[in-house]
Amino acid sequence: MPTPPVRVMVVDDHEVVRRGVVDVCDADPALQVVAEAAGVAEGLRRGAAVRPDVALVDLHLPDGTGIDLMRGLGEVSPGTRFVVLTSFDDDAYAAEALTVGAAAFVLKTVRGTQIAETVVAVAAGRVMLDERALQRRRDRTEDPLSVLTPTERLVLECIGDGLSNRESGERLGVSEKTVKNHVTAVMAKLGFKRRTQAAAWVASHARRS
């Protein structure tokens, strides 16, 4: 049975850019654009209706920011993963986007094939973070967990308690696949290569608290 295409929503207020990204995604048989929007309100409305697998989101929107959109859509569609469409001067916003679940950053100047490849990778659970954004976030706080979303913090606690992805899902009321995606994000954001490293870090952090 063939794998269903990744369902994508594109949010950008510049019509030429938005249509270009939509065309790139539609040209890839692994992707299917199910919605597009030009602002936060429209994106929240359409995103809640279609619940895309991945949302490509511009950070600068006429009625708010991409962060507003990701935060709101993440509440009504927790399975949606986010790719930020950004430019070179967006580092500060990009760092903040990490806290609401951004899994990747794509410069608007990259080739179309790179956008499609990033969306496919993010849909599969990968996290592709910009080290500049991570460093800026670290510089702004002494809390090493500041780069994690609230749900990712709960998942990290489950890892520290020795729970499997299935057991973590049962505790948090989400699917095992959702937990797996969150675990991948936690590991990437905190720089861990193995789950045991994360568990050991939680144990050490708890002892110091």
Side-chain angles (χ1 to χ4, degrees):
M1 183 176 179
T3 302
V6 176
R7 302 169 67 255
V8 180
M9 180 171 76
V10 181
V11 184
D12 196 301
D13 63 316
H14 292 91
E15 184 176 1
V16 172
V17 173
R18 187 176 71 252
R19 291 306 310 168
V21 175
V22 168
D23 289 344
V24 164
C25 292
D26 276 338
D28 192 315
L31 306 177
Q32 176 188 10
V33 177
V34 295
E36 55 180 289
V40 175
E42 184 181 22
L44 289 174
R45 185 175 67 254
R46 295 189 175 183
V50 301
R51 301 199 175 197
D53 299 315
V54 177
L56 279 153
V57 182
D58 185 14
L59 287 175
H60 300 285
L61 299 169
D63 57 345
T65 69
I67 294 167
D68 299 326
L69 175 61
M70 289 186 285
R71 181 180 291 112
L73 186 55
E75 292 178 356
V76 298
S77 181
T80 297
R81 309 200 75 214
F82 298 105
V83 174
V84 172
L85 291 167
T86 185
S87 56
F88 284 107
D89 60 353
D90 283 332
D91 280 355
Y93 276 123
E96 190 67 23
L98 293 174
T99 66
V100 292
F105 299 94
V106 174
L107 292 174
K108 293 182 180 181
T109 54
V110 303
R111 298 191 309 274
T113 53
Q114 288 181 263
I115 294 177
E117 289 168 359
T118 299
V119 172
V120 171
V122 167
R126 290 183 59 191
V127 177
M128 306 168 75
L129 298 175
D130 188 324
E131 181 59 30
R132 294 173 306 163
L134 282 172
Q135 189 58 52
R136 279 181 178 265
R137 188 66 187 174
R138 295 187 192 108
D139 291 344
R140 290 165 56 187
T141 179
E142 296 180 355
D143 180 7
L145 300 183
S146 64
V147 296
L148 303 184
T149 66
T151 301
E152 288 167 356
R153 290 189 183 218
L154 293 175
V155 168
L156 180 60
E157 290 178 7
C158 291
I159 293 174
D161 289 341
L163 301 184
S164 65
N165 288 346
R166 179 181 58 78
E167 292 168 334
S168 298
E170 291 174 354
R171 173 187 286 187
L172 302 178
V174 298
S175 70
E176 184 175 350
K177 180 181 178 182
T178 296
V179 172
K180 183 178 180 181
N181 287 339
H182 284 310
V183 169
T184 300
V186 168
M187 301 283 278
K189 290 180 179 182
L190 296 182
F192 298 131
K193 300 298 184 183
R194 296 183 297 278
R195 195 184 186 100
T196 52
Q197 289 178 311
W201 185 90
V202 173
S204 175
H205 185 75
R207 285 196 297 269
R208 291 197 302 268
S209 300

